[in-house]
Amino acid sequence: MSSLSVLSGLVIVCLGYGALVMYRYLTCRRPGDRIMYVPESTLAMVVSPIWPPKNWIGSVGSHFIPFSRDGQTIIPLVWAPTGERYYQIADVSAAKAVFEDRHGFVKRSEDSNNALLWVETVTTLNEWFSEWDFAIAREPKRQKAVNITTELRDITLFVIASAGFGMHFSHGSMGFHKPGYKMSFGESLVIAIETMLVKAMAPRWMYVLPIKALTNCDMAYTELKQYIVEMIAEARAGNAVDRRQGGEATADLFQRLVVANDEESDAKARLSDEETVANIYTFFLAGHGNHLEIQDKVHEEAKLLWPSFLDDSVYSLAVFRETLRLFPAEPTSSRYATVDTTMPCSARNPKTGEWEPSVAYITRGAGCTDLAHVQYLKAMYWGEDCDVFRPERFIDTAEYRWPRDAWLPFTGGPHVCLGQRFAMIESACIIARFMRKYCIRPTPEVARMPKQEQWARLTKWTQGVTSTPGRVDLIIEPRDVMGDGKL
């Protein structure tokens, strides 16, 4: 068979498939529908920085432009190859409706807790900082260059393991091996995080191949799930053990979470074991995620309030919230409609140009995707400077109250992220403790760049299963060296 015949055959197949796709689109399409350029999937999140192109529907960098162009805050879409329907949401009221209706929209597939978390975070930071201080003391300039992305990721994971699950790790130890397991809890956790993109992208049949990355990924996720399932059973039985030493009883946040969930009086709000396991996975995978004037404000607040910082912090929590607004760990969140329903939205009046209340009709089985990264950059919620890092927008005043409903980094309703309070307390503690002890400065290479280039370099991130920060090398200096007084 000649190469020309093969080429002709391929052309015929492509034309036939294209005709089938067009037929499906035309037969499934309804007035107002747009074409979906990539289906809802992990692949869509991974390729989103390059496809669809900027300003097209579905592009992470397009922000509110497609919605403004269409004159509506909910855009109906059709994935032509299968005829599946989706709705992309850039509306606070609609997002709230989706998250609060646990059964109408589904996923496809306190004080004592705060004190415990605070203690464990401070303990982990003290151990980490002692190693930094030892290294800094040996340097002539009393400075240390660190990859802050990796360091903070590890600190976060260690705090989650310690306060959340009663397992204490350090640089040199990732926990003991339980009988019947090939990995310790810490090893399975770290490998699961490192290979989560492999887990999301590789089809099940590929795991039979003799590829080390796939083998490690499969083993890590299998054993991590077994660990979590065992811990649920232990917590429910009331005999959870101190997994740091394998000995006496303890009440870590995980045990308290399971007990509280079992005691939930509203059966509709109670999570199943499978939902609890799924939330704990998310808790782990999403939780490890050069403004000198802002550093100074946090430093002054920490000096003034510490150690009662947990109850009285305002500015550090504002920094945390502003960071998640501009760099959400999960820029999109999807649910699937189980019934035909309606959803509040806004539409532009073609005559006046003003946005007015409207209603979107959602069909059963359709995917509904909340685009958090769009809502967080809408001037109607966050002001004309919504693309600027300004923590003050999260501080209430006599004349201003920041828009709670427009900030949903942990989703909302019955399916709100289990790690919400954990993340806020842990982050506030890390921010305050860090700024109280150290000052962060850019490396000489970055410091020579213009301010805008510095910001772009230090805040570069990539979109995958979650938003992932790039490598950031910074200089840390003890504040007592800078003349701020010994802390």
Side-chain angles (χ1 to χ4, degrees):
M1 184 181 294
S2 67
S3 57
L4 182 60
S5 299
V6 173
L7 182 60
S8 300
L10 289 175
V11 170
I12 293 174
V13 170
C14 291
L15 289 175
Y17 181 72
L20 176 62
V21 168
M22 183 57 65
Y23 171 77
R24 280 183 171 169
Y25 174 68
L26 292 176
T27 54
C28 296
R29 185 180 183 274
R30 299 177 182 179
D33 285 351
R34 300 290 183 266
I35 295 177
M36 195 170 200
Y37 299 108
V38 62
E40 287 287 341
S41 63
T42 303
L43 176 62
M45 292 187 288
V46 174
V47 304
S48 59
I50 57 175
W51 181 263
K54 189 174 182 180
N55 298 340
W56 288 27
I57 297 172
S59 169
V60 172
S62 61
H63 304 313
F64 194 64
I65 292 174
F67 298 89
S68 179
R69 188 170 55 227
D70 271 37
Q72 54 191 344
T73 55
I74 296 180
I75 297 179
L77 302 162
V78 174
W79 173 236
T82 62
E84 291 178 297
R85 298 185 60 76
Y86 295 88
Y87 297 85
Q88 293 207 342
I89 301 170
D91 188 283
V92 167
S93 298
K96 189 175 181 181
V98 170
F99 293 140
E100 290 186 347
D101 188 351
R102 177 187 175 190
H103 298 285
F105 298 93
V106 299
K107 293 182 179 181
R108 185 172 270 181
S109 27
E110 229 20 48
D111 289 340
S112 58
N113 291 348
N114 297 347
L116 169 63
L117 174 55
W118 190 263
V119 169
E120 293 292 350
T121 304
V122 171
T123 300
T124 299
L125 290 173
N126 286 342
E127 292 177 1
W128 215 273
F129 290 168
S130 66
E131 296 185 18
W132 283 1
D133 290 341
F134 180 76
I136 289 173
R138 300 171 64 184
E139 296 291 332
K141 294 184 178 180
R142 295 205 62 191
Q143 297 177 341
K144 176 178 173 61
V146 299
N147 178 353
I148 203 70
T149 307
T150 301
E151 296 283 344
L152 290 181
R153 180 203 65 186
D154 291 346
I155 288 173
T156 302
L157 287 177
F158 287 8
V159 172
I160 289 174
S162 183
F165 297 86
M167 299 182 179
H168 188 72
F169 302 150
S170 65
H171 271 124
S173 172
M174 295 301 289
F176 59 88
H177 287 71
K178 288 186 64 174
Y181 289 85
K182 295 182 179 180
M183 296 181 179
S184 68
F185 180 88
E187 290 169 340
S188 65
L189 170 59
V190 171
I191 294 175
I193 289 172
E194 291 176 345
T195 61
M196 61 181 173
L197 188 58
V198 174
K199 176 69 174 177
M201 297 288 292
R204 187 66 234 173
W205 60 264
M206 286 189 65
Y207 287 94
V208 302
L209 300 177
I211 300 176
K212 186 175 181 180
L214 291 173
T215 303
N216 288 343
C217 172
D218 193 35
M219 184 185 300
Y221 274 88
T222 299
E223 297 206 344
L224 181 59
K225 182 175 181 179
Q226 290 174 351
Y227 274 116
I228 294 173
V229 170
E230 282 188 9
M231 288 189 286
I232 291 176
E234 289 174 355
R236 184 168 286 128
N239 61 349
V241 297
D242 187 338
R243 286 174 284 272
R244 286 175 291 188
Q245 303 298 332
E248 62 185 72
T250 184
D252 55 46
L253 298 183
F254 179 81
Q255 181 183 5
R256 297 175 191 182
L257 165 68
V258 173
V259 172
N261 181 60
D262 287 347
E263 294 174 349
E264 173 60 58
S265 58
D266 183 359
K268 293 183 178 180
R270 192 179 301 132
L271 297 177
S272 66
D273 282 0
E274 283 299 313
E275 288 175 318
T276 303
V277 171
N279 273 273
I280 295 301
Y281 268 138
T282 304
F283 187 32
F284 279 129
L285 301 182
H288 70 275
N290 180 28
H291 284 258
L292 293 179
E293 70 281 4
I294 292 176
Q295 291 188 50
D296 290 341
K297 289 180 181 179
V298 174
H299 171 64
E300 291 302 320
E301 182 180 68
K303 280 204 307 183
L304 179 66
L305 299 177
W306 196 275
S308 62
F309 188 86
L310 174 60
D311 300 317
D312 302 317
S313 167
V314 174
Y315 197 78
S316 291
L317 282 177
V319 170
F320 168 72
R321 291 179 174 129
E322 179 72 341
T323 301
L324 279 186
R325 185 186 71 85
L326 285 179
F327 308 101
E330 191 174 10
T332 65
S333 181
S334 297
R335 300 287 189 274
Y336 287 82
T338 59
V339 294
D340 293 333
T341 186
T342 59
M343 192 180 296
C345 65
S346 298
R348 186 190 292 114
N349 187 315
K351 295 182 179 179
T352 64
E354 299 293 326
W355 290 90
E356 299 176 351
S358 184
V359 174
Y361 295 90
I362 309 299
T363 58
R364 178 181 178 181
C368 300
T369 303
D370 172 49
L371 305 181
H373 64 93
V374 173
Q375 296 184 37
Y376 295 161
L377 291 174
K378 287 175 69 174
M380 69 175 69
Y381 302 134
W382 304 105
E384 296 300 326
D385 64 343
C386 58
D387 58 341
V388 175
F389 186 85
R390 185 171 63 83
E392 286 77 9
R393 74 177 82 249
F394 281 97
I395 299 177
D396 291 333
T397 65
E399 299 80 23
Y400 169 80
R401 180 175 170 83
W402 65 269
R404 269 72 172 173
D405 287 344
W407 189 76
L408 295 170
F410 304 99
T411 70
H415 274 153
V416 66
C417 175
L418 298 181
Q420 175 176 0
R421 186 61 178 162
F422 193 114
M424 294 184 68
I425 296 172
E426 179 193 28
S427 298
C429 182
I430 291 176
I431 291 170
R433 188 75 176 91
F434 202 105
M435 291 299 109
R436 185 170 179 262
K437 187 174 180 62
Y438 300 105
C439 181
I440 304 174
R441 300 187 186 279
T443 60
E445 175 192 359
V446 176
R448 289 191 291 267
M449 299 178 179
K451 289 294 183 182
Q452 287 187 338
E453 289 186 25
Q454 287 188 35
W455 174 255
R457 171 74 172 271
L458 297 177
T459 60
K460 185 178 180 180
W461 59 280
T462 57
Q463 180 59 46
V465 179
T466 61
S467 298
T468 305
R471 179 185 175 110
V472 178
D473 292 309
L474 296 171
I475 301 296
I476 59 171
E477 293 181 280
R479 285 190 176 267
D480 59 317
V481 175
M482 302 169 58
D484 291 329
K486 187 173 182 179
L487 297 175

